[in-house]
């Protein structure tokens, strides 16, 4: 098998594998996408603010939120479909206390934006909540975010991917989110994404092989 022609073919084969490997890696890196990061930057519940004991504030059953949406990709845009926000109180996840929709929009490379609003709530047991924070405990609100995003690579859009994340927000007797830092909204299932990326990687290698064989 050690003929001179065979050695030539071997070299050729090596550089072929090397080049297609590099191409596959390059394609994979340039097509790879990551979903935007969402975090609760601010969350206020005036009615639970013990310091402000006016009856108008105590009977103010609104919540104020400020949610940051962050596209960390340096070379790809994100288009958000209508974003559904759903709020819950204290593990009562069968009964939303408030909902809010953010109209869809496009977000450029490496951009972040905030969406904030005051929303009226329904069904929060305010007396019990106020008693709990007055006693020095915190009460937990939850926000769930659901939308679909597609990524813009150069001038092309990818197909849509669903973005479903949530976070629990502990609130204290200042009627304020306890954590100073933003609270990141997380998905229930982080695994399918990396699985999908592996599948895409294999697909790209396969395509690169076919291109080089032609
Ligand atoms: C709570 O009420 C006090 C007194 O009115 C006010 O100074 C403070 O800003 C309020 N805190 C929040 C988080 O609204
Ligand atoms: C309301 O708060 C002020 C100061 O925080 C306090 O002086 C006053 O007694 C409070 N009133 C009631 C009814 O708790
Ligand atoms: C109720 O609280 C919100 C902030 O969450 C504030 O914007 C609004 O003016 C308050 N309403 C009243 C009637 O005090
Ligand atoms: C959930 O909230 C609704 C509305 O306030 C209430 O009727 C229901 O009893 C709550 N469920 C639990 C398990 O707290
Ligand atoms: C708050 O404390 C009072 C007495 O200090 C107690 O009777 C009440 O059950 C407590 N409430 C909560 C929600 O922990
Ligand atoms: C958002 O809510 C609307 C109306 O309830 C619904 O049609 C849509 O499918 C929801 N979007 C997502 C991503 O869940």
């Amino acid at each position: 098998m050690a003929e001179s022609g065979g050695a030539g073919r071997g070299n050729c084969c090596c550089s072929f594998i090397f080049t297609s490997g590099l191409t596959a890696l390059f394609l994979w890196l340039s097509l790879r996408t990551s979903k935007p990061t969402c975090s609760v930057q601010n969350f206020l519940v005036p009615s639970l603010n013990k310091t402000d004991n006016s009856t108008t504030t105590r009977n103010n059953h609104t919540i104020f939120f400020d949610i940051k949406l962050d596209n960390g990709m340096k070379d790809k845009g994100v288009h958000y479909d209508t974003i559904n926000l759903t709020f819950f109180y204290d593990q009562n996840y069968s009964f939303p206390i408030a909902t809010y929709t953010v109209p869809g929009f496009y977000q450029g490379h490496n951009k972040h934006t905030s969406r904030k609003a005051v929303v009226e709530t329904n069904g929060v047991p305010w007396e019990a909540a106020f008693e709990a924070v007055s006693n020095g405990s915190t009460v937990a609100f939850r926000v769930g975010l659901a939308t679909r995003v597609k990524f813009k690579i150069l001038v092309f859009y990818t197909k849509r991917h669903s973005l479903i994340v949530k976070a629990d927000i502990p609130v204290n007797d200042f009627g304020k989110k306890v954590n100073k830092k933003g609270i990141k909204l997380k998905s229930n299932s982080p695994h399918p994404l990396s699985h999908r990326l592996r599948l895409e990687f294999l697909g790209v290698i396969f395509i690169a092989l076919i291109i080089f064989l032609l």
Side-chain angles (χ1 to χ4, degrees):
M1 285 294 166
E3 296 155 44
S4 53
R9 268 202 302 277
N11 272 342
C12 177
C13 185
C14 267
S15 68
F16 161 70
I17 289 175
F18 182 69
T19 322
S20 46
L22 269 187
T23 309
L25 184 66
F26 177 76
L27 279 176
W28 179 67
L29 284 176
S30 51
L31 293 177
R32 198 175 45 152
T33 54
S34 61
K35 289 184 180 176
T37 313
C38 316
S39 56
V40 180
Q41 296 298 315
N42 205 351
F43 194 83
L44 301 178
V45 187
S47 168
L48 298 182
N49 185 359
K50 202 170 65 174
T51 336
D52 182 350
N53 55 16
S54 72
T55 47
T56 43
T57 302
R58 194 67 65 241
N59 294 323
N60 185 336
H61 292 166
T62 65
I63 53 179
F64 166 84
F65 68 84
D66 176 351
I67 289 177
K68 185 171 147 193
L69 305 159
D70 195 347
N71 171 19
M73 295 181 294
K74 285 193 285 292
D75 51 1
K76 294 175 193 76
V78 176
H79 181 275
Y80 298 79
D81 282 357
T82 302
I83 301 176
N84 293 344
L85 296 175
T86 314
F87 297 88
F88 301 94
Y89 174 74
D90 192 33
Q91 301 183 16
N92 191 342
Y93 304 133
S94 49
F95 191 91
I97 57 159
T99 57
Y100 189 81
T101 40
V102 177
F105 66 99
Y106 174 77
Q107 185 169 51
H109 308 169
N110 226 350
K111 290 277 194 317
H112 58 81
T113 181
S114 283
R115 289 293 182 270
K116 35 187 119 174
V118 171
V119 285
E120 197 65 44
T121 65
N122 255 307
V124 178
W126 286 110
E127 306 231 322
F130 187 70
E131 197 175 288
V133 293
S134 300
N135 280 6
S137 344
T138 58
V139 293
F141 287 80
R142 170 176 288 192
V143 59
L145 180 155
T147 186
R148 290 165 75 73
V149 291
K150 54 182 182 179
F151 303 106
K152 192 177 185 190
I153 304 176
L154 301 175
V155 294
F156 305 103
Y157 274 110
T158 64
K159 70 182 173 66
R160 287 179 162 78
H161 303 275
S162 62
L163 174 63
I164 298 177
V165 287
K166 60 178 161 49
D168 289 326
I169 312 157
V171 170
N172 60 19
D173 60 353
F174 290 111
K176 218 172 141 55
K177 170 168 81 62
V178 176
N179 322 46
K180 277 237 155 47
K181 288 175 69 178
I183 303 174
K184 191 175 167 196
L185 278 69
K186 292 183 178 154
S187 132
N188 265 338
S189 49
H191 300 301
L193 182 66
S194 54
H195 178 65
R196 195 174 59 77
L197 284 180
R198 268 200 300 280
L199 283 181
E200 275 173 11
F201 186 49
L202 287 177
V204 166
I205 288 182
F206 182 70
I207 291 167
L209 275 173
I210 287 180
I211 290 172
F212 274 86
L213 284 174
L214 290 178

